[in-house]
Amino acid sequence: MSPHGCLSITKYFLFLFNLLFFFLGSLILSFGLWILFDQQSFAAVLGSSVYALKVWSYVLSGVGIITMLMGFLGCLGSLKEIKCMLGFYFGFLFLLFAAQITIGILLYTQRVSLSTKMGAFVEDVIQTYRVAGSASDRHESWDFIQEQLRCCGWNSYMDWHQNPVVANSSNSLYPCSCHNGSDSSTNATWAPAVPEATRFCSTQGDWLVYKEGCADSVQAWLANNIISIVGVCLGIALMELCLMMLSMFLFRNMGQNYDKLTRYS
């Protein structure tokens, strides 16, 4: 194949691939904004907390914007052969690739320190949970984590005995986000009569909660999904490397005096 034909194939492949990226990013951004402006409806349908939906809406919106920006730079830069845009496209991909490698190395080398810091953070969340009627975003997020992972506390459900509301209550109170619905040995009811315990449940006898701490649940989840996580990360990294190589190939093989950027300035 002639160099000109190879260059044309590379150009249109990058254009079509990034056009798909642009439309995918617009869909992700639209869905993120939909969740952001219609949180109550999604919370009712999905059974998730409003705070958790807010976090997901920000994440999806950010991913959508980044994907659209990459698609725009790749599409216009390859189709119109604008070296400036291709350079930004390559630089953007390189920064994402370097950030992924850096985050992976830091997570692996600092895993013990991160676990210790996370344990201290959760301990503070538990101790301040619903004290004097307070309700912050981190409390809502911890409720969401316990509900989704079906766990209670960080090391075990006994961590919740450090909470002042639980420790000083005359009733047997426990956080409702820890409630184990499959345990029907006694009846659990909401406790809205206590102003500072609106998200606590009361029961007669033992707590109807998940006994496993969230630290063990997180480790178990990672162990069960490590192959999928590594596979997805490797796939994304290989795709980024391939796109960087193609964009650099197209950038280097454009005519030295063929700069079309001035036509659009």
Side-chain angles (χ1 to χ4, degrees), residues 25 28 42 65 70 79 82 91 122 164 172 182 187 192 214 230 237 249:
I28 295 174
F42 275 95
I65 292 173
M70 288 180 57
L79 185 64
I82 302 176
V122 173
S172 182
S182 61
N187 292 325
C214 291
V230 172
F249 172 80

Side-chain angles (χ1 to χ4, degrees), residues 138-169:
R138 61 179 187 164
H139 297 144
E140 293 288 342
S141 63
W142 185 244
D143 277 338
F144 177 75
I145 291 173
Q146 291 187 140
E147 290 170 355
Q148 296 300 313
L149 295 181
R150 297 183 178 182
C151 57
C152 192
W154 182 245
N155 297 305
S156 74
Y157 73 98
M158 297 297 292
D159 293 343
W160 278 99
H161 287 287
Q162 302 175 23
N163 181 269
V165 177
V166 174
N168 299 326
S169 175

Side-chain angles (χ1 to χ4, degrees), residues 132-219:
S134 61
S136 65
D137 289 344
R138 61 179 187 164
H139 297 144
E140 293 288 342
S141 63
W142 185 244
D143 277 338
F144 177 75
I145 291 173
Q146 291 187 140
E147 290 170 355
Q148 296 300 313
L149 295 181
R150 297 183 178 182
C151 57
C152 192
W154 182 245
N155 297 305
S156 74
Y157 73 98
M158 297 297 292
D159 293 343
W160 278 99
H161 287 287
Q162 302 175 23
N163 181 269
V165 177
V166 174
N168 299 326
S169 175
S170 58
N171 299 321
S172 182
L173 296 180
Y174 62 90
C176 294
S177 57
C178 287
H179 178 61
N180 186 356
S182 61
D183 188 351
S184 57
S185 56
T186 57
N187 292 325
T189 57
W190 290 89
V194 184
E196 68 274 19
T198 55
R199 287 289 292 176
F200 285 88
C201 290
S202 64
T203 184
Q204 299 295 328
D206 296 334
W207 288 6
L208 306 178
V209 297
Y210 299 106
K211 308 302 181 186
E212 186 178 24
C214 291
D216 295 332
S217 297
V218 171
Q219 292 177 358

Side-chain angles (χ1 to χ4, degrees), residues 1-13 78-79 81 249-250 252-255 258 260:
M1 182 180 296
S2 64
H4 179 73
C6 185
L7 190 65
S8 298
I9 291 176
T10 302
K11 180 173 69 173
Y12 288 109
F13 175 81
S78 59
L79 185 64
E81 299 183 6
F249 172 80
L250 186 59
R252 289 177 60 87
N253 286 275
M254 289 180 186
Y258 187 54
K260 296 186 178 181

